[in-house]
Coordinates of all heavy atoms in Angstrom, one line a residue:
M1 N -3.0 -60.3 21.6 CA -3.3 -59.0 20.9 C -4.7 -58.5 21.3 O -5.1 -57.3 20.7 CB -3.2 -59.2 19.4 CG -1.8 -59.6 19.0 SD -1.3 -58.3 17.8 CE -0.1 -57.4 18.5
A2 N -5.4 -59.2 22.1 CA -6.8 -58.8 22.4 C -6.8 -57.4 23.2 O -7.8 -56.6 23.2 CB -7.4 -59.7 23.2
N3 N -5.7 -57.0 23.9 CA -5.7 -55.8 24.8 C -5.2 -54.6 24.0 O -4.8 -53.6 24.6 CB -4.9 -56.1 26.0 CG -5.5 -57.1 26.8 OD1 -6.8 -57.2 26.9 ND2 -4.8 -57.8 27.6
V4 N -4.9 -54.7 22.7 CA -4.4 -53.6 21.9 C -5.5 -52.6 21.6 O -6.5 -53.0 21.1 CB -3.7 -54.0 20.7 CG1 -3.3 -52.8 19.9 CG2 -2.6 -55.0 20.9
P5 N -5.3 -51.3 22.2 CA -6.3 -50.4 21.9 C -6.6 -49.8 20.5 O -5.4 -49.9 19.8 CB -6.0 -49.2 22.9 CG -4.6 -49.4 23.1 CD -4.4 -50.8 23.0
A6 N -7.6 -49.8 19.9 CA -7.8 -49.2 18.6 C -7.4 -47.7 18.6 O -7.7 -46.9 19.4 CB -9.2 -49.4 18.1
R7 N -6.7 -47.3 17.5 CA -6.4 -45.9 17.3 C -7.5 -45.3 16.5 O -8.0 -45.8 15.5 CB -5.0 -45.8 16.5 CG -3.9 -46.2 17.3 CD -2.7 -45.8 16.7 NE -1.6 -46.2 17.4 CZ -0.2 -46.4 16.9 NH1 -0.1 -46.1 15.6 NH2 0.7 -46.8 17.7
S8 N -7.8 -44.0 16.9 CA -8.7 -43.2 16.1 C -8.0 -41.9 15.8 O -7.2 -41.5 16.5 CB -10.1 -43.1 16.9 OG -9.8 -42.4 18.1
H9 N -8.6 -41.2 14.8 CA -8.1 -39.9 14.5 C -8.7 -38.8 15.4 O -9.9 -38.9 15.6 CB -8.5 -39.5 13.1 CG -7.9 -40.4 12.0 ND1 -6.5 -40.2 11.7 CD2 -8.4 -41.3 11.2 CE1 -6.3 -41.1 10.8 NE2 -7.4 -41.8 10.4
P10 N -7.8 -38.1 16.1 CA -8.4 -37.1 17.0 C -9.4 -36.1 16.2 O -9.1 -35.9 15.0 CB -7.2 -36.4 17.5 CG -6.1 -37.3 17.3 CD -6.5 -38.1 16.1
P11 N -10.4 -35.6 16.7 CA -11.4 -34.8 16.0 C -10.8 -33.5 15.4 O -11.3 -32.9 14.6 CB -12.5 -34.6 16.9 CG -12.0 -34.9 18.3 CD -10.9 -35.8 18.1
A12 N -9.6 -33.0 16.1 CA -9.1 -31.7 15.8 C -8.3 -32.0 14.5 O -7.9 -30.8 13.9 CB -8.0 -31.3 16.9
I13 N -8.0 -33.1 13.9 CA -7.2 -33.2 12.6 C -8.2 -33.0 11.5 O -9.1 -33.8 11.3 CB -6.6 -34.5 12.6 CG1 -5.6 -34.8 13.7 CG2 -5.9 -34.8 11.2 CD1 -4.8 -36.0 13.7
T14 N -8.0 -31.9 10.8 CA -8.8 -31.6 9.7 C -8.3 -32.5 8.4 O -7.2 -33.0 8.5 CB -8.6 -30.1 9.2 OG1 -7.3 -29.9 8.8 CG2 -9.0 -29.2 10.3
D15 N -9.2 -32.6 7.4 CA -8.6 -33.3 6.2 C -7.4 -32.8 5.7 O -6.5 -33.5 5.3 CB -9.8 -33.3 5.2 CG -11.1 -34.2 5.5 OD1 -10.9 -35.0 6.5 OD2 -12.1 -33.8 4.9
A16 N -7.2 -31.5 5.6 CA -6.0 -30.8 5.0 C -4.9 -31.3 6.0 O -3.8 -31.6 5.4 CB -6.1 -29.4 5.0
L17 N -5.0 -31.1 7.1 CA -3.9 -31.6 8.1 C -3.5 -33.0 8.0 O -2.4 -33.5 8.0 CB -4.1 -31.2 9.6 CG -3.0 -31.3 10.6 CD1 -1.8 -30.6 10.2 CD2 -3.5 -30.8 12.0
R18 N -4.6 -33.9 7.8 CA -4.4 -35.3 7.7 C -3.6 -35.6 6.5 O -2.7 -36.4 6.4 CB -5.7 -36.0 7.6 CG -5.6 -37.5 7.7 CD -6.9 -38.3 7.8 NE -7.5 -38.0 9.1 CZ -8.6 -37.4 9.4 NH1 -9.4 -36.9 8.3 NH2 -9.0 -37.2 10.5
D19 N -3.8 -34.8 5.3 CA -3.2 -34.9 4.1 C -1.7 -34.4 4.2 O -0.7 -35.1 3.8 CB -3.8 -34.2 3.0 CG -5.0 -34.7 2.4 OD1 -5.4 -35.9 2.7 OD2 -5.9 -34.0 1.8
A20 N -1.5 -33.5 5.0 CA -0.1 -33.0 5.3 C 0.7 -34.0 6.2 O 1.9 -34.3 5.8 CB -0.1 -31.6 6.1
I21 N 0.0 -34.7 7.0 CA 0.7 -35.6 7.9 C 1.0 -36.9 7.0 O 2.0 -37.5 7.1 CB -0.3 -36.1 8.9 CG1 -0.3 -34.9 10.0 CG2 0.2 -37.4 9.7 CD1 -1.5 -35.1 11.1
R22 N 0.2 -37.2 6.0 CA 0.4 -38.2 5.0 C 1.7 -37.9 4.3 O 2.5 -38.7 4.2 CB -0.7 -38.4 4.2 CG -0.5 -39.5 3.1 CD -1.6 -39.6 2.1 NE -1.9 -38.3 1.5 CZ -1.1 -37.8 0.4 NH1 0.0 -38.3 0.1 NH2 -1.4 -36.6 -0.1
L23 N 1.8 -36.8 3.9 CA 3.1 -36.4 3.3 C 4.2 -36.5 4.1 O 5.3 -36.9 3.6 CB 3.0 -34.8 2.9 CG 2.1 -34.4 1.6 CD1 2.0 -32.9 1.5 CD2 2.8 -35.1 0.4
M24 N 4.2 -36.3 5.4 CA 5.3 -36.5 6.3 C 5.8 -38.0 6.2 O 6.9 -38.1 6.7 CB 5.0 -36.0 7.6 CG 4.6 -34.5 7.7 SD 6.1 -33.4 7.2 CE 7.0 -33.6 8.8
G25 N 4.9 -38.7 6.0 CA 5.2 -40.3 5.9 C 6.0 -40.6 4.6 O 6.5 -41.7 4.5
S26 N 6.1 -39.8 3.7 CA 6.8 -39.9 2.4 C 8.2 -39.4 2.6 O 8.4 -38.2 2.9 CB 6.2 -39.2 1.3 OG 7.0 -39.0 0.2
E27 N 9.2 -40.2 2.6 CA 10.6 -39.8 2.9 C 11.0 -38.7 1.8 O 11.5 -37.9 2.2 CB 11.5 -41.1 2.9 CG 12.9 -40.8 3.1 CD 13.1 -40.0 4.4 OE1 12.5 -40.1 5.4 OE2 14.0 -39.0 4.4
P28 N 10.8 -39.1 0.6 CA 11.2 -37.9 -0.4 C 10.6 -36.6 0.0 O 11.3 -35.5 0.1 CB 10.7 -38.3 -1.8 CG 10.5 -39.8 -1.7 CD 10.2 -40.1 -0.2
A29 N 9.2 -36.6 0.3 CA 8.6 -35.3 0.6 C 9.2 -34.7 1.9 O 9.2 -33.5 2.1 CB 7.1 -35.5 0.8
A30 N 9.4 -35.5 3.0 CA 10.1 -35.1 4.1 C 11.3 -34.6 3.9 O 11.8 -33.5 4.5 CB 10.1 -36.3 5.2
A31 N 12.2 -35.2 3.1 CA 13.5 -34.7 2.8 C 13.4 -33.4 2.0 O 14.3 -32.4 2.4 CB 14.2 -35.7 1.9
I32 N 12.5 -33.2 1.2 CA 12.3 -32.0 0.5 C 12.0 -30.8 1.6 O 12.6 -29.7 1.6 CB 11.2 -32.0 -0.6 CG1 11.7 -32.9 -1.7 CG2 10.9 -30.6 -1.0 CD1 12.8 -32.4 -2.6
L33 N 11.0 -31.1 2.5 CA 10.6 -30.2 3.5 C 11.8 -29.9 4.4 O 12.0 -28.7 4.8 CB 9.4 -30.8 4.2 CG 9.0 -29.8 5.4 CD1 8.4 -28.5 4.9 CD2 7.7 -30.6 6.2
R34 N 12.6 -30.9 4.8 CA 13.7 -30.6 5.7 C 14.8 -29.7 4.9 O 15.2 -28.8 5.5 CB 14.6 -31.9 6.0 CG 13.9 -32.6 7.1 CD 14.8 -33.8 7.6 NE 15.1 -34.7 6.5 CZ 14.4 -35.8 6.3 NH1 13.4 -36.1 7.0 NH2 14.9 -36.7 5.4
A35 N 14.9 -29.8 3.6 CA 15.7 -29.0 2.8 C 15.3 -27.5 2.9 O 16.1 -26.5 3.1 CB 15.9 -29.5 1.4
V36 N 14.1 -27.3 2.7 CA 13.4 -25.9 2.6 C 13.4 -25.3 4.0 O 13.8 -24.1 4.1 CB 11.9 -25.9 2.1 CG1 11.4 -24.6 2.3 CG2 12.0 -26.4 0.7
V37 N 13.3 -26.1 5.1 CA 13.4 -25.7 6.5 C 14.7 -25.2 6.8 O 15.0 -24.2 7.4 CB 12.9 -26.8 7.4 CG1 13.2 -26.3 8.9 CG2 11.4 -27.0 7.3
T38 N 15.7 -26.0 6.4 CA 17.2 -25.6 6.7 C 17.8 -24.6 5.8 O 18.7 -24.0 6.2 CB 18.0 -26.9 6.8 OG1 18.1 -27.5 5.6 CG2 17.6 -27.8 7.8
S39 N 17.3 -24.5 4.6 CA 17.8 -23.6 3.7 C 16.8 -22.8 2.8 O 16.6 -23.2 1.6 CB 18.8 -24.4 2.5 OG 19.8 -24.9 3.3
P40 N 16.0 -22.0 3.4 CA 14.9 -21.3 2.7 C 15.4 -20.6 1.6 O 16.7 -20.1 1.5 CB 14.3 -20.4 3.8 CG 14.9 -20.6 5.1 CD 16.1 -21.6 4.8
G41 N 14.7 -20.5 0.5 CA 15.1 -19.8 -0.8 C 15.6 -20.7 -1.9 O 16.2 -20.2 -2.7
L42 N 15.6 -22.1 -1.6 CA 16.1 -23.0 -2.5 C 15.4 -23.0 -3.9 O 14.2 -22.8 -3.9 CB 16.0 -24.3 -1.9 CG 16.9 -24.7 -0.8 CD1 16.5 -26.2 -0.3 CD2 18.4 -24.7 -1.1
T43 N 16.2 -23.2 -4.9 CA 15.5 -23.5 -6.2 C 15.0 -25.0 -6.2 O 15.4 -25.7 -5.2 CB 16.4 -23.4 -7.4 OG1 17.5 -24.2 -7.2 CG2 17.0 -21.9 -7.4
T44 N 14.3 -25.3 -7.1 CA 13.8 -26.7 -7.1 C 14.9 -27.6 -7.4 O 15.1 -28.7 -6.7 CB 12.7 -26.9 -8.5 OG1 11.7 -26.0 -8.2 CG2 12.3 -28.4 -8.5
R45 N 15.9 -27.3 -8.2 CA 17.2 -28.1 -8.4 C 17.9 -28.3 -7.1 O 18.4 -29.4 -6.9 CB 18.0 -27.5 -9.5 CG 19.3 -28.2 -9.8 CD 20.1 -27.7 -10.9 NE 19.3 -27.9 -12.2 CZ 19.2 -27.1 -13.3 NH1 19.8 -26.0 -13.3 NH2 18.6 -27.4 -14.4
E46 N 18.1 -27.2 -6.5 CA 18.8 -27.3 -5.1 C 18.0 -28.1 -4.1 O 18.7 -29.0 -3.4 CB 19.0 -25.9 -4.6 CG 20.0 -25.0 -5.4 CD 19.9 -23.5 -5.0 OE1 18.8 -23.1 -4.5 OE2 21.0 -22.7 -5.2
A47 N 16.8 -28.0 -4.1 CA 16.1 -28.8 -3.1 C 16.2 -30.5 -3.6 O 16.3 -31.2 -2.7 CB 14.6 -28.5 -3.1
A48 N 16.2 -30.6 -4.9 CA 16.4 -32.1 -5.4 C 17.8 -32.6 -5.0 O 17.8 -33.7 -4.6 CB 16.2 -32.0 -6.9
V49 N 18.8 -31.8 -5.1 CA 20.2 -32.2 -4.8 C 20.3 -32.5 -3.3 O 20.7 -33.5 -2.9 CB 21.2 -31.2 -5.2 CG1 22.5 -31.5 -4.6 CG2 21.2 -31.1 -6.7
L50 N 19.8 -31.6 -2.5 CA 19.8 -31.8 -1.0 C 18.9 -33.0 -0.6 O 19.4 -33.7 0.4 CB 19.3 -30.6 -0.3 CG 20.2 -29.4 -0.3 CD1 19.6 -28.2 0.4 CD2 21.6 -29.8 0.4
A51 N 17.9 -33.3 -1.3 CA 17.0 -34.4 -0.9 C 17.3 -35.7 -1.6 O 16.9 -36.8 -1.2 CB 15.7 -34.1 -1.2
G52 N 18.3 -35.8 -2.5 CA 18.7 -36.9 -3.2 C 17.6 -37.5 -4.2 O 17.5 -38.7 -4.2
T53 N 17.0 -36.5 -4.8 CA 15.9 -37.1 -5.7 C 16.0 -36.3 -7.0 O 16.8 -35.4 -7.2 CB 14.5 -36.9 -5.1 OG1 13.5 -37.5 -5.9 CG2 14.1 -35.4 -5.0
S54 N 15.3 -36.5 -8.0 CA 15.3 -36.0 -9.3 C 14.6 -34.6 -9.2 O 13.8 -34.4 -8.3 CB 14.6 -36.8 -10.3 OG 13.2 -36.9 -10.2
E55 N 14.9 -33.8 -10.2 CA 14.3 -32.4 -10.1 C 12.8 -32.5 -10.4 O 12.0 -31.8 -9.7 CB 14.9 -31.5 -11.2 CG 14.6 -30.0 -11.1 CD 15.3 -29.2 -12.0 OE1 16.4 -29.6 -12.5 OE2 15.0 -28.1 -12.2
S56 N 12.4 -33.4 -11.2 CA 10.9 -33.5 -11.5 C 10.1 -34.1 -10.3 O 9.1 -33.7 -9.8 CB 10.6 -34.5 -12.8 OG 11.1 -35.7 -12.5
A57 N 10.7 -35.0 -9.6 CA 10.2 -35.6 -8.4 C 10.2 -34.6 -7.2 O 9.2 -34.3 -6.5 CB 11.0 -36.7 -7.8
A58 N 11.2 -33.6 -7.2 CA 11.2 -32.6 -6.2 C 10.2 -31.6 -6.4 O 9.5 -31.2 -5.5 CB 12.6 -31.9 -6.1
L59 N 10.0 -31.3 -7.6 CA 8.9 -30.2 -8.1 C 7.6 -30.9 -7.7 O 6.7 -30.1 -7.1 CB 9.0 -30.0 -9.5 CG 7.9 -29.0 -10.0 CD1 8.1 -27.6 -9.3 CD2 8.0 -28.7 -11.6
R60 N 7.3 -32.1 -7.9 CA 6.1 -32.7 -7.6 C 5.7 -32.6 -6.1 O 4.7 -32.2 -5.6 CB 6.0 -34.2 -8.0 CG 4.7 -34.8 -8.0 CD 4.6 -36.3 -8.5 NE 5.7 -37.3 -7.8 CZ 6.7 -37.6 -8.3 NH1 7.1 -37.3 -9.5 NH2 7.5 -38.5 -7.6
H61 N 6.8 -32.9 -5.3 CA 6.6 -32.9 -3.9 C 6.5 -31.5 -3.4 O 5.7 -31.3 -2.5 CB 7.9 -33.6 -3.2 CG 7.9 -35.0 -3.3 ND1 7.0 -35.9 -2.9 CD2 8.7 -35.9 -4.0 CE1 7.3 -37.2 -3.2 NE2 8.3 -37.2 -3.9
L62 N 7.2 -30.5 -3.9 CA 7.2 -29.2 -3.5 C 5.8 -28.6 -3.8 O 5.2 -28.0 -2.9 CB 8.2 -28.3 -4.2 CG 9.7 -28.5 -3.7 CD1 10.7 -28.0 -4.7 CD2 9.8 -27.7 -2.4
K63 N 5.3 -29.0 -5.0 CA 3.8 -28.5 -5.3 C 2.8 -29.1 -4.4 O 1.9 -28.4 -3.8 CB 3.5 -28.8 -6.6 CG 4.2 -27.9 -7.7 CD 3.8 -28.2 -9.1 CE 4.4 -27.1 -10.0 NZ 4.0 -27.4 -11.4
E64 N 3.0 -30.3 -3.9 CA 2.2 -31.0 -3.0 C 2.3 -30.3 -1.6 O 1.3 -30.1 -0.9 CB 2.4 -32.5 -2.8 CG 1.4 -33.3 -2.1 CD 0.1 -33.4 -2.7 OE1 -0.2 -33.0 -3.7 OE2 -0.8 -33.8 -1.9
L65 N 3.5 -30.1 -1.1 CA 3.8 -29.4 0.2 C 3.0 -28.0 0.0 O 2.5 -27.6 1.1 CB 5.2 -29.4 0.4 CG 5.9 -30.7 0.7 CD1 7.4 -30.7 0.6 CD2 5.5 -31.2 2.1
A66 N 3.2 -27.4 -1.0 CA 2.7 -26.0 -1.2 C 1.2 -26.1 -1.0 O 0.5 -25.2 -0.5 CB 3.2 -25.4 -2.4
R67 N 0.6 -27.0 -1.6 CA -0.9 -27.2 -1.7 C -1.4 -27.3 -0.2 O -2.5 -26.9 0.1 CB -1.3 -28.5 -2.4 CG -2.8 -28.6 -2.6 CD -3.1 -29.6 -3.6 NE -3.0 -31.1 -3.0 CZ -3.9 -31.5 -2.2 NH1 -5.0 -30.9 -2.1 NH2 -3.7 -32.9 -1.8
H68 N -0.6 -27.8 0.8 CA -1.0 -27.9 2.1 C -0.4 -26.8 2.9 O -0.5 -26.8 4.2 CB -0.6 -29.3 2.7 CG -1.2 -30.3 2.0 ND1 -2.5 -30.7 2.2 CD2 -0.8 -31.4 1.1 CE1 -2.8 -31.8 1.4 NE2 -1.8 -32.0 0.7
G69 N 0.2 -25.8 2.4 CA 0.6 -24.6 3.2 C 2.0 -24.8 3.8 O 2.3 -24.0 4.6
L70 N 2.7 -25.9 3.5 CA 4.0 -26.2 4.3 C 5.1 -25.5 3.6 O 6.1 -25.0 4.3 CB 4.3 -27.6 4.4 CG 3.3 -28.5 5.2 CD1 3.5 -29.9 5.1 CD2 3.2 -27.9 6.7
V71 N 5.0 -25.2 2.3 CA 6.1 -24.5 1.7 C 5.3 -23.4 0.7 O 4.2 -23.5 0.4 CB 7.2 -25.3 0.9 CG1 7.9 -26.3 1.7 CG2 6.3 -26.0 -0.3
L72 N 6.0 -22.4 0.3 CA 5.6 -21.3 -0.5 C 6.5 -21.1 -1.7 O 7.7 -21.0 -1.6 CB 5.5 -20.0 0.4 CG 5.1 -18.8 -0.3 CD1 3.5 -18.8 -0.8 CD2 5.2 -17.7 0.6
Q73 N 5.9 -21.1 -2.9 CA 6.7 -20.8 -4.1 C 6.7 -19.3 -4.3 O 5.7 -18.6 -4.4 CB 5.9 -21.5 -5.3 CG 6.6 -21.4 -6.6 CD 5.9 -22.1 -7.8 OE1 4.8 -22.5 -7.5 NE2 6.5 -22.3 -8.8
V74 N 7.8 -18.8 -4.5 CA 8.1 -17.3 -4.7 C 8.7 -17.2 -6.1 O 9.7 -17.7 -6.4 CB 8.9 -16.7 -3.7 CG1 9.2 -15.2 -3.9 CG2 8.4 -16.9 -2.3
Q75 N 8.0 -16.4 -6.9 CA 8.5 -16.2 -8.3 C 8.9 -14.7 -8.4 O 8.1 -13.8 -8.0 CB 7.5 -16.5 -9.4 CG 7.2 -18.0 -9.3 CD 6.3 -18.4 -10.4 OE1 5.3 -17.6 -10.8 NE2 6.4 -19.6 -10.9
T76 N 10.2 -14.4 -8.9 CA 10.6 -13.0 -8.9 C 11.4 -12.9 -10.4 O 11.8 -14.0 -11.0 CB 11.8 -12.7 -7.9 OG1 12.7 -13.8 -7.9 CG2 11.1 -12.7 -6.5
P77 N 11.4 -11.9 -10.9 CA 12.2 -11.5 -12.2 C 13.7 -12.0 -12.1 O 14.1 -11.7 -11.0 CB 12.1 -10.2 -12.5 CG 10.9 -9.6 -11.6 CD 10.9 -10.6 -10.5
G78 N 14.1 -12.8 -12.8 CA 15.5 -13.3 -12.8 C 15.8 -14.3 -13.8 O 15.1 -14.5 -14.8
I79 N 16.8 -15.1 -13.6 CA 17.2 -16.2 -14.5 C 16.4 -17.3 -14.1 O 16.3 -17.8 -13.1 CB 18.7 -16.4 -14.2 CG1 19.6 -15.2 -14.4 CG2 19.2 -17.7 -15.0 CD1 21.1 -15.5 -14.1
G80 N 15.8 -17.8 -15.2 CA 14.9 -19.0 -15.0 C 14.1 -19.0 -16.3 O 14.2 -18.3 -17.2
R81 N 13.1 -20.2 -16.3 CA 12.3 -20.2 -17.5 C 11.5 -18.9 -17.6 O 10.7 -18.5 -16.8 CB 11.4 -21.4 -17.3 CG 10.5 -21.7 -18.3 CD 9.9 -23.0 -18.3 NE 10.8 -24.1 -18.4 CZ 10.5 -25.4 -18.2 NH1 9.3 -25.8 -17.8 NH2 11.5 -26.2 -18.5
G82 N 11.5 -18.4 -18.8 CA 10.7 -17.1 -19.0 C 11.1 -15.9 -18.4 O 10.4 -15.0 -18.1
G83 N 12.5 -16.0 -17.9 CA 12.9 -14.8 -17.1 C 12.3 -14.7 -15.8 O 12.4 -13.7 -15.1
I84 N 11.8 -15.8 -15.1 CA 11.3 -15.9 -13.8 C 12.1 -16.9 -13.0 O 12.2 -18.0 -13.4 CB 9.8 -16.3 -13.9 CG1 8.9 -15.4 -14.7 CG2 9.3 -16.5 -12.4 CD1 8.9 -13.9 -14.1
A85 N 12.5 -16.3 -11.9 CA 13.3 -17.2 -10.9 C 12.2 -17.7 -9.9 O 11.6 -16.9 -9.4 CB 14.4 -16.4 -10.2
T86 N 12.3 -19.0 -9.7 CA 11.4 -19.6 -8.6 C 12.2 -20.1 -7.5 O 13.2 -20.9 -7.6 CB 10.6 -20.7 -9.2 OG1 9.7 -20.2 -10.2 CG2 9.6 -21.4 -8.2
T87 N 11.9 -19.8 -6.2 CA 12.5 -20.2 -5.0 C 11.3 -20.7 -4.2 O 10.1 -20.4 -4.3 CB 13.3 -19.2 -4.3 OG1 12.5 -18.0 -4.1 CG2 14.5 -18.7 -5.3
W88 N 11.8 -21.6 -3.1 CA 10.8 -22.2 -2.1 C 11.2 -21.8 -0.7 O 12.3 -21.8 -0.4 CB 10.9 -23.8 -2.3 CG 10.4 -24.1 -3.7 CD1 11.3 -24.2 -4.8 CD2 9.2 -24.4 -4.1 NE1 10.5 -24.6 -5.8 CE2 9.2 -24.7 -5.5 CE3 7.9 -24.3 -3.5 CZ2 8.0 -25.0 -6.2 CZ3 6.8 -24.7 -4.2 CH2 6.8 -25.0 -5.6
H89 N 10.1 -21.4 0.0 CA 10.3 -21.0 1.3 C 9.2 -21.7 2.2 O 8.4 -22.3 1.8 CB 10.0 -19.4 1.4 CG 11.0 -18.7 0.5 ND1 12.1 -18.1 0.9 CD2 10.8 -18.5 -0.9 CE1 12.8 -17.5 -0.2 NE2 12.0 -17.7 -1.2
L90 N 9.5 -21.5 3.6 CA 8.4 -22.0 4.5 C 7.1 -21.3 4.3 O 7.0 -20.3 4.1 CB 8.8 -21.8 5.9 CG 9.8 -22.7 6.4 CD1 10.1 -22.4 7.9 CD2 9.4 -24.2 6.3
G91 N 6.0 -22.2 4.3 CA 4.7 -21.6 4.0 C 4.1 -21.2 5.4 O 4.7 -21.0 6.4
S92 N 2.9 -20.9 5.3 CA 2.1 -20.3 6.4 C 1.7 -21.4 7.5 O 1.6 -21.0 8.6 CB 0.7 -19.7 5.9 OG -0.1 -20.6 5.3
A93 N 1.7 -22.6 7.0 CA 1.4 -23.8 8.0 C 2.8 -24.0 8.8 O 3.9 -24.0 8.2 CB 1.1 -25.0 7.4
D94 N 2.6 -24.1 10.1 CA 3.9 -24.3 10.9 C 4.1 -25.7 10.9 O 3.6 -26.7 11.4 CB 3.4 -23.9 12.4 CG 4.6 -24.1 13.5 OD1 5.7 -24.2 13.0 OD2 4.4 -24.4 14.6
P95 N 5.4 -26.1 10.4 CA 5.8 -27.4 10.3 C 5.9 -28.2 11.6 O 5.5 -29.3 11.8 CB 7.2 -27.3 9.6 CG 7.1 -26.1 9.0 CD 6.3 -25.2 9.7
Q96 N 6.3 -27.5 12.6 CA 6.4 -28.1 14.0 C 5.0 -28.5 14.4 O 4.8 -29.5 15.1 CB 7.0 -27.0 15.0 CG 7.3 -27.8 16.3 CD 8.2 -28.9 16.2 OE1 9.3 -28.9 15.5 NE2 7.9 -30.1 16.7
T97 N 4.0 -27.7 14.2 CA 2.6 -28.1 14.6 C 2.2 -29.3 13.8 O 1.7 -30.3 14.5 CB 1.6 -26.9 14.2 OG1 2.0 -25.8 14.9 CG2 0.2 -27.3 14.6
V98 N 2.5 -29.5 12.5 CA 2.2 -30.7 11.7 C 2.9 -32.0 12.4 O 2.3 -32.9 12.6 CB 2.6 -30.5 10.4 CG1 2.4 -31.8 9.6 CG2 1.7 -29.6 9.7
V99 N 4.2 -31.6 12.7 CA 4.9 -32.8 13.3 C 4.4 -33.1 14.6 O 4.3 -34.3 15.0 CB 6.4 -32.3 13.4 CG1 7.2 -33.4 14.2 CG2 7.1 -32.3 12.1
D100 N 4.1 -32.2 15.4 CA 3.5 -32.5 16.8 C 2.2 -33.3 16.8 O 2.0 -34.2 17.5 CB 3.3 -31.2 17.7 CG 4.6 -30.5 18.0 OD1 5.7 -31.1 17.9 OD2 4.5 -29.3 18.4
V101 N 1.3 -32.8 15.9 CA 0.0 -33.4 15.7 C 0.3 -34.8 15.2 O -0.3 -35.9 15.7 CB -0.9 -32.7 14.8 CG1 -2.1 -33.6 14.4 CG2 -1.4 -31.4 15.4
W102 N 1.2 -35.0 14.3 CA 1.5 -36.3 13.8 C 2.0 -37.3 14.8 O 1.6 -38.5 14.9 CB 2.5 -36.3 12.6 CG 2.8 -37.5 11.9 CD1 2.2 -38.3 11.1 CD2 4.1 -38.2 12.1 NE1 2.9 -39.3 10.8 CE2 4.1 -39.4 11.3 CE3 5.3 -37.9 12.9 CZ2 5.2 -40.2 11.3 CZ3 6.3 -38.8 12.7 CH2 6.3 -40.0 12.0
L103 N 2.9 -36.7 15.7 CA 3.5 -37.6 16.7 C 2.5 -38.1 17.7 O 2.4 -39.2 18.1 CB 4.7 -36.9 17.4 CG 6.0 -36.9 16.6 CD1 6.9 -35.8 17.4 CD2 6.6 -38.2 16.4
R104 N 1.7 -37.1 18.1 CA 0.4 -37.5 19.0 C -0.4 -38.6 18.4 O -0.8 -39.5 19.1 CB -0.4 -36.3 19.5 CG 0.3 -35.4 20.4 CD -0.6 -34.4 20.9 NE -1.4 -33.5 20.1 CZ -0.9 -32.5 19.5 NH1 0.3 -31.9 19.9 NH2 -1.7 -31.7 18.6
H105 N -0.6 -38.4 17.1 CA -1.5 -39.4 16.5 C -0.9 -40.8 16.4 O -1.5 -41.8 16.7 CB -1.8 -39.0 15.1 CG -2.5 -39.8 14.2 ND1 -3.8 -40.4 14.4 CD2 -2.0 -40.8 13.1 CE1 -4.0 -41.3 13.6 NE2 -3.0 -41.4 12.8
V106 N 0.5 -40.8 16.1 CA 1.1 -42.1 15.9 C 1.2 -42.7 17.3 O 1.2 -43.9 17.4 CB 2.6 -41.8 15.4 CG1 3.5 -43.1 15.5 CG2 2.4 -41.5 13.8
R107 N 1.5 -41.8 18.4 CA 1.6 -42.5 19.7 C 0.2 -42.8 20.3 O 0.2 -43.3 21.4 CB 2.4 -41.4 20.5 CG 3.8 -41.3 20.1 CD 4.5 -40.2 21.0 NE 5.9 -40.0 20.6 CZ 6.6 -39.0 20.7 NH1 6.1 -38.0 21.3 NH2 7.8 -39.0 20.3
G108 N -0.9 -42.5 19.7 CA -2.2 -42.7 20.1 C -2.7 -41.8 21.3 O -3.5 -42.1 22.0
H109 N -2.1 -40.6 21.3 CA -2.6 -39.6 22.4 C -3.5 -38.7 21.8 O -3.5 -38.2 20.8 CB -1.3 -38.9 22.9 CG -0.5 -39.9 23.7 ND1 0.8 -40.3 23.2 CD2 -0.4 -40.3 24.9 CE1 1.4 -41.0 24.0 NE2 0.6 -41.2 25.1

């Protein structure tokens, strides 16, 4: 094992992006993100069903993904708590960029 090179974080990875990459290592968060990518406009309940998790866990993951710009919470008048319907869409961060950076990091490039 003496010839195994040490891995370091590339300087281009910001703290926010590092946090987003950490989220990608969480299977429930990754499943939620996949659900939103494949079916934008999901409710929290729909995302939970597609990801195979509870609604409260899905909401926690969605809020964390939103904090990193990977998903966006959209509230409109409609059926829902307080007459507000909440749906989830892709955020301003490009998920493919996050995945590409994460793969380069994992592969040590």
Side-chain angles (χ1 to χ4, degrees):
M1 297 240 105
N3 294 331
V4 176
R7 288 192 183 160
S8 63
H9 296 287
I13 296 181
T14 64
D15 288 341
L17 186 54
R18 189 173 292 118
D19 288 345
I21 291 167
R22 179 189 51 77
L23 282 172
M24 298 297 286
S26 162
E27 183 50 40
I32 294 287
L33 183 58
R34 279 192 301 272
V36 174
V37 167
T38 57
S39 302
L42 292 174
T43 64
T44 303
R45 179 175 290 143
E46 292 167 336
V49 168
L50 287 174
T53 189
S54 70
E55 193 171 343
S56 62
L59 181 59
R60 186 177 65 250
H61 290 298
L62 284 162
K63 286 183 175 183
E64 185 71 9
L65 290 164
R67 190 170 75 82
H68 296 288
L70 295 173
V71 299
L72 177 65
Q73 181 180 16
V74 176
Q75 296 182 327
T76 56
I79 299 173
R81 185 173 287 177
I84 302 294
T86 299
T87 56
W88 297 90
H89 304 264
L90 280 180
S92 58
D94 176 25
Q96 188 59 50
T97 299
V98 173
V99 170
D100 291 344
V101 170
W102 179 74
L103 287 173
R104 282 195 307 273
H105 171 70
V106 168
R107 292 176 181 157
H109 294 102

